[in-house]
Amino acid sequence: MNQAPVRQWHRISVNSAHHPRLLELGFLPLENVCVLQRSWFKTGALVVQVGDAVFGLRPDEASQIEVHAHTEMLGSLSAA
């Protein structure tokens, strides 16, 4: 998620890490997620929206969440 463009909706990958804290917060596979804002500092936090909730994530937490653009997800699902 660290590399996801700001203000674009993505889907959390099915293969994304399964950290218990992130799962409790709602970062579940195939959930919609959007990076709303990034810190000006390279090692700063990200403000993300998952579902209807907004969270601040540290970079190490965000790096555990693999995301795909909606169009990429649709293509991989139809190919399966």
Side-chain angles (χ1 to χ4, degrees):
M1 178 177 278
N2 283 338
Q3 305 300 319
V6 176
R7 301 279 178 196
Q8 291 183 12
W9 284 96
H10 291 79
R11 278 239 164 100
I12 297 175
S13 171
V14 174
N15 302 323
S16 193
H18 301 290
H19 191 280
R21 179 177 178 272
L22 296 174
L23 292 172
E24 288 174 3
L25 292 175
F27 291 92
L28 303 170
L30 302 179
E31 186 68 44
N32 293 321
V33 64
C34 180
V35 177
L36 300 176
Q37 188 173 3
R38 295 181 187 281
S39 172
W40 292 28
F41 303 106
K42 273 199 152 192
T43 58
L46 285 79
V47 179
V48 298
Q49 180 176 350
V50 60
D52 294 329
V54 177
F55 298 99
L57 291 180
R58 295 179 291 244
D60 62 319
E61 294 170 324
S63 69
Q64 297 178 37
I65 303 168
E66 182 182 339
V67 296
H68 298 285
H70 279 269
T71 55
E72 292 177 26
M73 286 299 294
L74 292 174
S76 66
L77 290 175
S78 64

